[in-house]
Amino acid sequence: MSRATCLLLLALSPALATAAPADDGLPNEAKKLPFKDDARIEFVAGTSPEWKTLTAFWNETTEQATDPSTGQKVTKRLVKIRVPLGLSTAPAVPAENPMTVAKWELGKTLYFHKGLSTNGTRSCASCHDPARGWTDQAKTSSGINDQLGPINSPTVLNSAYNRFQFWNGRADSLENQAQGPVGNSLEMFGGGKGDAWEEAVERVKKDPALVKRFEQVFGHGPSRDAAAKAIAAYERTVLSGNSIYDRAEVNKRKRLSDDDTGKPDLIAEDVSKAIQSARAAKDKAAIRALGGNQPNDLDKTLGEQIASGRALFFGKARCSNCHVGDGFTDHGFHNLGVGAKDGKLPRGEFGRYDAQATGHKDAGMVGGHKTPGLRGLLDTAPYLHDGSETTLEGVIDFYDRGGNVNEFLSPKMRDADAEATYRKARAEGKNPPLPTGAMLDRAGNPVIPFQLKLKPEEKAALVMFLRALQGDPVDATVADEKWFPSAK
């Protein structure tokens, strides 16, 4: 073909000039696992009648299916994931990234694979370690070449339910989140001549066994798109529930079904029964959540304290303004004043605002960071996006004072009535003093944090309620780096 003809073809079909390599996303079905061997994974949540019949987290069974290429009916292996108690819905799975056992195994391998980092020293698990609550339990994370990052590592635990990933929400899916660290110079990219992901893919291609597994799952060799999909598929199974609180809610529903005249709110007896059952079963995780082995005669007292903490959580303490639903998060972004000093918010703390695209920036998001879920807190300290609070007691004190004042403080952290009173007095020509801890914004409007004024016993009850949200450890089929169903 002449040079002129080539140029003409490129002019007529410009997409050809930018086409990806043949193994970078275009599947060859002949390379993939045969249909009969490509086992599906499906989630079964508590709303399904089948949920009660499943005996474990990872359940092996079979299904009848029709091979789309031959029309033949085959018996295939099927894995059913029993979603833990308290998580009432199954994680959403993108249509373009269906769950399969082979993909899950590949994703698990890549999650712990240090070859994705430039110098082979860091993996996803380095900052999201199953043994450390799927975090690194550091104030802020260390990346490649021991470089210290600016932010606390969020947990992967139940992240399948997150509407946004990262503290500033810059990724809207697990697939997008999985691509971030590999290209981040403070995390896994040590610098190179080309694109971080291109280099990572080339390193993976040097492992024939991994290349073969990519081909079996995706019908092509290693690629950024495929790696992100596989890692996300694995992370969707990092689930935890069945906390003392979840069990107490079951007791409450049973009590109400037995006696519809009973109190509809959770009561101490509902919690005490859950605690007593946990002790009888020698449930180490639940006992630890309650503070360790204690005399059984304290069960009633603990039940009362947790029930009181729940009432405060949904009432006076206003926690449920942001912490709602199964995961105890509104998936929103709020400025709590984390990082603010003397009423000033450093430019590096602008959070969600900086993650928004130019032309779509919302000044109301300045300093906004994602509302974290509240399950698994005992394993994910330190807390807040900068890791500045080391204990749950410290977090409660932070909220009790209304966070740290700054002109962008979230309306949910402010005393609207006090601010209205101040503005009214100013409009009447008076010069009222600002309350302690308040400030004026650049327009002269008051910013007055809402002080909860919790009593010591109320703070203690809130902490115990948060401890009661601690669920079972993530199942070993997921958390154990060495466990693979194909190796059983």
Side-chain angles (χ1 to χ4, degrees):
M1 184 183 295
S2 69
R3 180 174 180 274
T5 302
C6 289
L7 291 174
L8 177 60
L9 286 174
L10 289 175
L12 292 174
S13 304
L16 293 176
T18 58
D23 65 344
D24 191 26
L26 300 178
N28 178 348
E29 295 297 324
K31 293 183 177 182
K32 296 178 72 172
L33 284 172
F35 177 79
K36 64 181 180 61
D37 298 327
D38 195 16
R40 290 192 310 114
I41 295 177
E42 69 176 39
F43 293 101
V44 181
T47 52
S48 168
E50 184 182 15
W51 186 84
K52 291 184 178 180
T53 70
L54 300 178
T55 58
F57 177 80
W58 182 281
N59 301 273
E60 297 266 358
T61 184
T62 59
E63 66 174 338
Q64 301 299 310
T66 302
D67 189 328
S69 62
T70 66
Q72 292 183 327
K73 292 184 178 181
V74 297
T75 300
K76 293 181 59 178
R77 177 183 173 208
L78 172 66
V79 170
K80 295 190 176 185
I81 299 291
R82 187 180 193 264
V83 176
L85 180 69
L87 306 177
S88 59
T89 60
V93 178
E96 70 277 9
N97 191 25
M99 299 281 292
T100 70
V101 173
K103 185 186 295 179
W104 183 91
E105 288 190 329
L106 175 59
K108 186 175 188 178
T109 299
L110 294 174
Y111 185 89
F112 293 97
H113 188 53
K114 293 182 178 180
L116 289 180
S117 65
T118 302
N119 62 3
T121 63
R122 309 293 292 177
S123 68
C124 303
S126 298
C127 293
H128 305 282
D129 185 350
R132 293 181 171 86
W134 301 83
T135 71
D136 55 12
Q137 296 180 343
K139 182 176 181 180
T140 60
S141 296
S142 296
I144 197 167
N145 299 322
D146 296 322
Q147 294 185 88
L148 189 64
I151 205 159
N152 181 261
S153 180
T155 182
V156 177
L157 194 71
N158 295 336
S159 61
Y161 294 96
N162 290 349
R163 191 175 304 160
F164 300 97
Q165 309 293 338
F166 297 113
W167 280 105
N168 63 7
R170 63 185 181 274
D172 60 1
S173 69
L174 286 173
E175 286 79 2
N176 285 341
Q177 184 280 327
Q179 298 174 56
V182 172
N184 191 313
S185 61
L186 292 177
E187 297 186 53
M188 298 174 73
F189 183 49
K193 298 180 181 179
D195 177 80
W197 262 104
E198 288 181 1
E199 293 181 5
V201 167
E202 289 304 312
R203 289 192 295 273
V204 172
K205 286 180 178 178
K206 294 178 181 179
D207 185 335
L210 270 180
V211 172
K212 180 67 174 178
R213 291 169 68 183
F214 270 92
E215 290 175 345
Q216 289 178 330
V217 173
F218 296 102
H220 59 75
S223 71
R224 174 175 178 170
D225 178 79
K229 286 176 177 174
I231 293 171
Y234 168 66
E235 290 181 330
R236 283 196 171 89
T237 63
V238 181
L239 303 175
S240 176
N242 195 37
S243 67
I244 285 292
Y245 172 70
D246 297 320
R247 303 176 209 182
E249 282 288 311
V250 172
N251 291 339
K252 180 191 77 172
R253 292 193 291 271
K254 184 177 186 305
R255 171 174 56 81
L256 292 176
S257 67
D258 293 342
D259 178 11
D260 58 10
T261 63
K263 186 177 180 181
D265 292 332
L266 191 77
I267 61 175
E269 182 182 1
D270 301 327
V271 185
S272 297
K273 285 184 177 180
I275 296 173
Q276 291 164 2
S277 295
R279 290 197 194 282
K282 296 182 180 180
D283 186 335
K284 293 181 180 179
I287 293 171
R288 171 194 171 225
L290 299 172
N293 289 313
Q294 300 180 25
N296 289 359
D297 57 6
L298 286 180
D299 289 351
K300 183 175 184 296
T301 301
L302 285 173
E304 292 171 347
Q305 190 177 34
I306 292 170
S308 174
R310 181 193 182 281
L312 287 163
F313 186 94
F314 289 98
K316 178 181 177 181
R318 312 201 314 174
C319 307
S320 60
N321 280 1
C322 300
H323 295 283
V324 296
D326 292 347
F328 296 91
T329 173
D330 62 357
H331 304 285
F333 302 87
H334 308 285
N335 179 327
L336 313 179
V338 176
K341 297 180 180 179
D342 301 321
K344 301 291 185 181
L345 190 70
R347 188 63 183 79
E349 291 287 355
F350 273 28
R352 179 62 176 164
Y353 179 84
D354 281 344
Q356 293 177 314
T358 300
H360 297 277
K361 292 189 179 295
D362 177 1
M365 288 290 102
V366 172
H369 287 80
K370 186 176 65 174
T371 303
L374 299 182
R375 292 182 179 271
L377 291 177
L378 298 188
D379 297 318
T380 57
Y383 307 106
L384 306 181
H385 73 261
D386 65 349
S388 55
E389 295 295 345
T390 59
T391 65
L392 292 176
E393 288 80 4
V395 173
I396 298 299
D397 286 339
F398 175 85
Y399 280 101
D400 187 54
R401 69 172 184 265
N404 294 335
V405 68
N406 66 96
E407 66 174 316
F408 306 105
L409 189 67
S410 169
K412 293 190 176 185
M413 298 291 290
R414 293 161 65 164
D415 191 331
D417 291 340
E419 290 179 354
T421 299
Y422 183 89
R423 287 193 298 269
K424 183 175 183 293
R426 287 281 296 270
E428 293 172 349
K430 301 174 184 178
N431 189 26
L434 277 170
T436 301
M439 66 173 288
L440 297 177
D441 66 16
R442 65 189 64 193
N445 295 312
V447 180
I448 305 176
F450 189 94
Q451 297 182 13
L452 299 173
K453 300 179 180 179
L454 297 171
K455 300 174 183 178
E457 60 270 24
E458 291 176 324
K459 292 181 179 181
L462 271 173
V463 168
M464 188 54 71
F465 174 70
L466 294 176
R467 295 180 70 95
L469 299 181
Q470 182 80 10
D472 289 337
V474 173
D475 195 81
T477 56
V478 178
D480 184 351
E481 177 182 356
K482 296 180 181 180
W483 188 92
F484 286 87
S486 61
K488 290 196 306 177

